Amino acid sequence: MALAPRVFLTAEQIQKRVREMGEQISANYPEGPLYLISVLKGAFIFMADLSRHITTPSRIEFMGISSYGRGKTSSGEVKVTKDLDVSIEGHHVLIVEDIVDSGVTLTYLMNLLEQRRPKSLAIATLLDKPEKRLRPVQVSYVGFQIPDEFVVGYGLDFAEDYRNLSDICVLTEDADAAGVGVGD
Ligand code: PRP
């Protein structure tokens, strides 16, 4: 039976929450520059939307931190595939993630960035799966806490597919799953 995406969070629900998160972050960082560091690839859409709701003068940076292996489960090992091009020393830094699952990626990234002596370092994630946590991570801004379902869309993939869905969907083997159109 083929995998099919079933809508879990609609584009409208996501946009409403992202706007709220942007307003909260703007209030908490009255002065810039705020360095928004996004973790590729999954967070690219969240970064684009969240950053436009942040009124604090911000700078946009990208890093690549990837789990080894592909498929529905992570092997627990991570590697840097793209480092920052700039120094963050003395600056406020907010890591923008699409999902915190085991916490392995963010534990690694927090340790790495802390060594570069930012003025402050915090995390914003659209999705949080607390049930899956293997490493404790302090996340300052959470869009949605979700159960242990495999989700795709709005930047999240399964084997590189589904990133361009506007909704966040659960990947299901249910043959009756609702079809989801790209860009709807
Ligand atoms: C995903 C996601 C996070 C990480 C979270 O990235 O974007 O970076 O996994 O999982 P963890 O809390 O268990 O470490 P992935 O490695 O799938 O790469 P991608 O963003 O390119 O899809």
Side-chain angles (χ1 to χ4, degrees), residues 27-48:
N28 289 350
Y29 294 92
E31 290 180 13
L34 171 62
Y35 279 71
L36 300 174
I37 298 181
S38 188
V39 180
L40 296 169
K41 301 178 192 172
F44 79 104
I45 294 178
F46 180 44
M47 172 66 128

Side-chain angles (χ1 to χ4, degrees), residues 39-42 67 97-105 157 163:
V39 180
L40 296 169
K41 301 178 192 172
S67 299
E97 258 290 21
D98 52 327
I99 188 164
V100 185
D101 198 330
S102 68
V104 169
T105 304
D157 74 310
R163 291 194 197 274

Side-chain angles (χ1 to χ4, degrees), residues 39 63 65 95 104-114:
V39 180
M63 287 186 75
I65 306 282
I95 298 171
V104 169
T105 304
L106 277 172
T107 298
Y108 178 85
L109 189 58
M110 288 291 277
N111 289 337
L112 186 72
L113 296 184
E114 197 66 71

Side-chain angles (χ1 to χ4, degrees), residues 3-41:
L3 292 170
R6 179 186 292 277
V7 176
F8 179 70
L9 290 167
T10 65
E12 289 72 23
Q13 288 173 302
I14 297 166
Q15 293 303 326
K16 178 174 181 289
R17 186 69 188 117
V18 172
R19 177 185 291 273
E20 290 169 354
M21 293 177 79
E23 290 170 356
Q24 189 186 1
I25 290 165
S26 302
N28 289 350
Y29 294 92
E31 290 180 13
L34 171 62
Y35 279 71
L36 300 174
I37 298 181
S38 188
V39 180
L40 296 169
K41 301 178 192 172

